[in-house]
Amino acid sequence: MGKKTVLILTFISYAQMHAARTLWSYMQKYLTIDDYNKNKMGQAYLTFLLTYGIGMNTIGPMCCKNSLKHSIGISCMAVGMLFAILGILQEFQLLTFPLVIVLMAINGLIQSACYPACVNVLGNWFKNHKVGLMMGLWSGCVNAGDIYGLIIGDVVIQRLEMPVYWGFYFMSCCLILVSVATLSFLQSEPRNQIQGMNESESAPLILKQKNKNLNILSAWMVPGVAIYAVGYACLKGTFYGFLDWLPFYFQQKGEKLENHSSYISQMFDVGCYVGGIFLGYLGDKYKRRACYFVPSLLLAMCSMLVIRFWLDLVVWPYYLCILAIGIFQGGPYNNISGVISIELTKQFENDKAAISTVSSLIESTGTLTAAMFQVIIPRIGDEHLFTFLCLITLLAELVCCVLLFRELKSKKRSK
């Protein structure tokens, strides 16, 4: 098996997971549940993100100490079955708000096994490769999945005018097919690396012990992990703020913008993909990352303020501004979520679960923060969405400034 096959299989697997999340976000407003308002939608988002964050700290690292391939494949299979159950309950008018909460809690726990396993597999295959460019390309699976999920929802509801449950059934079939492909063809690590693990048994005992003891708590002590986790928490919160609430923002702006809401929202994901690749490439080439995060986030905040205070009901400026936000905010977001996890754990070469442990910690911190925002955003009102997300981005900017000062200091020492 080659690197391209690994990249494609993990890309499709996690893209399908994100497509399921986005489809659920899109379909929620069409569910036949009594009094299912925006506050209850926020509670459903909160439940999913809380259990997802908790699972990242428990289930994710535990699964990655076993078979990475099975963690990814079984996770996709289980989520596919869960969406089939959602479709059945919706078709026969049996879906209630308590059932939604229970299913979203299970969904969060199941999905928590997929992301750290994918990052760990990529770390095994691409450790000595251009990790920034590679993870920039791979991190686009999140944005590709979001766009794919929105397209499915739009086609099922708006174009074909089919019942909601057909969207759930279609997503279920896709997830199960991806699961079968992953379990059949994915190889967790190169064969020469497996042989190298056996030969490394003669490595110093102190190093082995240090690597063996890396867990969620000790991972906080790895240099750079805590500060990156805080920065990523702010970026993850804003990412899910856009992902889950941007369509609602445009739907409140009148029919003209409402008709374009799903397409304008897709520009955010397109921008995230472009920004992730571009910043990943720059980081690989110049061996610096924080120095690009700071100006990028500043430009993202400027774009948010333009939307908040200057744009009216003309459609095309929204496409450009949302695309700009995606590029300048998605670049740091995609790089911290994958590239940084791999680079911070290069010192733990003998610990197969080190990458998944650090990525789980960073991802769970961001997810729990995003869960908190799902309660706050419905209460602040749609008109203040961009103001709130701009302030959170400012916090991420301050964290990246600290990282920039550290980079400059290390550069001076190296000279």
Side-chain angles (χ1 to χ4, degrees):
M1 170 176 286
K3 290 181 177 181
K4 289 182 181 179
T5 307
V6 172
L7 192 65
I8 291 170
L9 284 174
T10 52
F11 185 100
I12 293 174
S13 296
Y14 199 61
Q16 198 66 54
M17 284 291 196
H18 250 270
R21 298 178 203 177
T22 309
L23 180 69
W24 168 255
S25 299
Y26 186 92
M27 293 293 197
Q28 275 202 98
K29 55 183 175 287
Y30 300 105
L31 296 177
T32 54
I33 301 175
D34 293 336
D35 195 28
Y36 194 60
N37 54 32
K38 287 172 69 175
N39 285 333
K40 288 188 175 180
M41 290 181 191
Q43 291 174 36
Y45 290 140
L46 172 66
T47 303
F48 169 77
L49 292 171
L50 276 177
T51 54
Y52 183 68
I54 292 168
M56 277 285 181
N57 285 318
T58 53
I59 296 173
M62 181 177 65
C63 289
C64 290
K65 288 179 180 178
N66 299 302
S67 172
L68 298 174
K69 177 175 74 173
H70 288 92
S71 295
I72 299 169
I74 293 173
S75 180
C76 289
M77 180 75 73
V79 175
M81 293 171 66
L82 186 141
F83 267 73
I85 293 169
L86 271 172
I88 293 169
L89 292 173
Q90 174 64 22
E91 182 178 1
F92 293 98
Q93 304 290 306
L94 299 174
L95 196 60
T96 61
F97 179 63
L99 270 175
V100 167
I101 294 297
V102 171
L103 290 172
M104 286 302 103
I106 297 170
N107 188 22
L109 291 172
I110 294 170
Q111 289 201 31
S112 65
C114 186
Y115 177 80
C118 286
V119 175
N120 207 341
V121 169
L122 292 168
N124 289 339
W125 280 87
F126 294 90
K127 271 184 179 177
N128 300 317
H129 200 67
K130 292 182 178 179
V131 68
L133 179 60
M134 182 276 300
M135 286 304 296
L137 289 167
W138 183 84
S139 295
C141 64
V142 172
N143 315 116
D146 291 340
I147 294 170
Y148 170 47
L150 284 172
I151 290 173
I152 292 173
D154 184 69
V155 169
V156 170
I157 300 296
Q158 303 294 341
R159 311 301 171 197
L160 300 178
E161 298 182 352
M162 297 173 68
V164 175
Y165 53 81
W166 281 111
F168 294 140
Y169 289 151
F170 181 80
M171 185 58 64
S172 174
C173 293
C174 291
L175 282 160
I176 291 171
L177 286 174
V178 168
S179 170
V180 172
T182 302
L183 291 171
S184 301
F185 302 111
L186 183 63
Q187 186 176 315
S188 300
E189 55 190 331
R191 296 188 185 278
N192 59 349
Q193 186 170 319
I194 298 171
Q195 294 171 359
M197 288 296 295
N198 296 328
E199 294 172 2
S200 67
E201 290 179 358
S202 59
L205 182 61
I206 296 175
L207 179 62
K208 282 185 170 184
Q209 187 65 24
K210 179 181 178 182
N211 293 340
K212 184 180 178 181
N213 290 336
L214 186 67
N215 52 42
I216 287 293
L217 294 177
S218 59
W220 282 102
M221 299 296 106
V222 175
V225 167
I227 191 71
Y228 273 114
V230 173
Y232 184 71
C234 299
L235 294 174
K236 183 84 170 180
T238 55
F239 181 85
Y240 270 91
F242 284 117
L243 178 67
D244 294 331
W245 299 103
L246 200 55
F248 290 102
Y249 175 84
F250 291 118
Q251 287 165 13
Q252 303 301 321
K253 286 286 187 178
E255 185 177 353
K256 193 174 182 181
L257 281 172
E258 183 180 0
N259 292 335
H260 289 262
S261 62
S262 64
Y263 300 108
I264 296 174
S265 301
Q266 288 173 30
M267 298 307 294
F268 177 72
D269 289 295
V270 172
C272 284
Y273 195 19
V274 174
I277 294 171
F278 183 62
L279 285 192
Y281 169 76
L282 289 177
D284 285 341
K285 186 173 182 179
Y286 298 105
K287 308 302 180 185
R288 293 286 182 271
R289 302 206 185 273
C291 62
Y292 304 116
F293 294 169
V294 172
S296 183
L297 291 176
L298 181 61
L299 291 170
M301 287 189 289
C302 292
S303 301
M304 292 180 204
L305 293 175
V306 167
I307 292 178
R308 175 65 181 88
F309 294 108
W310 284 286
L311 294 192
D312 51 19
L313 297 181
V314 180
V315 173
W316 68 265
Y318 285 97
Y319 278 95
L320 295 178
C321 287
I322 295 298
L323 177 65
I325 293 171
I327 291 171
F328 298 125
Q329 186 151 15
Y333 172 80
N334 282 343
N335 273 264
I336 293 175
S337 64
V339 180
I340 301 301
S341 298
I342 293 174
E343 290 190 339
L344 289 175
T345 54
K346 282 184 177 178
Q347 58 186 299
F348 298 99
E349 292 183 357
N350 292 336
D351 188 358
K352 293 173 66 176
I355 296 173
S356 60
T357 301
V358 172
S359 64
S360 294
L361 186 152
I362 293 175
E363 184 72 17
S364 65
T365 305
T367 302
L368 293 173
T369 305
M372 181 178 63
F373 288 178
Q374 300 305 314
V375 178
I376 297 173
I377 290 175
R379 287 166 171 75
I380 63 175
D382 294 315
E383 67 276 11
H384 301 299
L385 175 66
F386 282 93
T387 305
F388 175 72
L389 296 180
C390 186
L391 290 173
I392 300 304
T393 305
L394 178 60
L395 293 177
E397 173 84 338
L398 295 175
V399 172
C400 288
C401 285
V402 175
L403 294 169
L404 175 60
F405 292 142
R406 287 187 176 185
E407 275 194 0
L408 294 175
K409 280 185 179 180
S410 64
K411 189 175 181 180
K412 286 181 180 179
R413 288 174 184 171
S414 63
K415 287 183 178 179

